[in-house]
Amino acid sequence: MYIVAPAFLVAGAILLARLPRPAGARIGLVVLVVALVGNVGLLLASHDRLVSKIECERSMTPLARGSAGNPC
């Protein structure tokens, strides 16, 4: 994904540049808003998982944290 992402950005910019002026700007803005909302949602979801994992591991002893049977 990380290798292909710059190619998608370049291809998207070329496609948006070929659209008529008012439509290209609007479509670009819509794509930007959707991407921002999606990424903020993923950030918040991963934050909740991280906080719950930290709380789970704090309740364990240091030996149990490193064991293969770690439930966290």
Side-chain angles (χ1 to χ4, degrees), residues 5 7 11 13 19 26-27 29 39 44 53 55 57-58:
L19 292 175
R26 288 186 191 123
I27 292 173
L29 183 63
N39 280 306
L44 293 175
K53 181 174 173 56
E55 288 180 14
E57 290 205 2
R58 276 189 185 152

Side-chain angles (χ1 to χ4, degrees), residues 37-59:
V37 169
N39 280 306
V40 167
L42 288 172
L43 180 67
L44 293 175
S46 64
H47 176 264
D48 293 340
R49 284 194 308 262
L50 178 64
V51 168
S52 65
K53 181 174 173 56
I54 289 171
E55 288 180 14
C56 177
E57 290 205 2
R58 276 189 185 152
S59 65

